[in-house]
Amino acid sequence: MGRKVGTLRINPKKFGSLHKPCMKEMMTFLNCLALNHNSDEKCVKNKELLNTCMDAQNNNRKPWGSINYHMQRLSRGKK
């Protein structure tokens, strides 16, 4: 069973196996910001690590394809 938060029901099994890339880098950057009172100058190294991780994630995505491909795909289902 899921936990009840207000009127929203959350299923922890559904989100437990979700892949979370760059989570470690993001947490270290946010912790650095919290420790330094949101001073971005003192967290440059952590910010660069997060940016490189996020740039690496963007290159791994598959292209969606052209709009014509998707229009043909949608029209096939209507026949």
Side-chain angles (χ1 to χ4, degrees), residues 25 28-29 32 42-51:
E25 290 85 357
T28 56
F29 178 63
C32 180
K42 296 180 181 178
C43 302
V44 174
K45 180 183 171 189
N46 293 330
K47 186 176 181 180
E48 288 174 1
L49 286 172
L50 179 60
N51 284 336

Side-chain angles (χ1 to χ4, degrees), residues 18-77:
L18 192 64
H19 180 64
K20 300 169 187 160
C22 304
M23 182 61 78
K24 180 181 172 186
E25 290 85 357
M26 184 178 66
M27 291 307 295
T28 56
F29 178 63
L30 291 175
N31 285 333
C32 180
L33 284 176
L35 289 173
N36 295 313
H37 304 290
N38 294 334
S39 177
D40 206 16
E41 297 86 24
K42 296 180 181 178
C43 302
V44 174
K45 180 183 171 189
N46 293 330
K47 186 176 181 180
E48 288 174 1
L49 286 172
L50 179 60
N51 284 336
T52 56
C53 181
M54 291 185 66
D55 289 341
Q57 294 300 319
N58 287 339
N59 295 337
N60 294 337
R61 289 188 180 171
K62 284 178 117 178
W64 278 69
S66 68
I67 188 71
N68 292 332
Y69 166 76
H70 290 290
M71 294 299 287
Q72 289 175 357
R73 186 178 57 86
L74 290 172
S75 68
R76 271 188 255 142

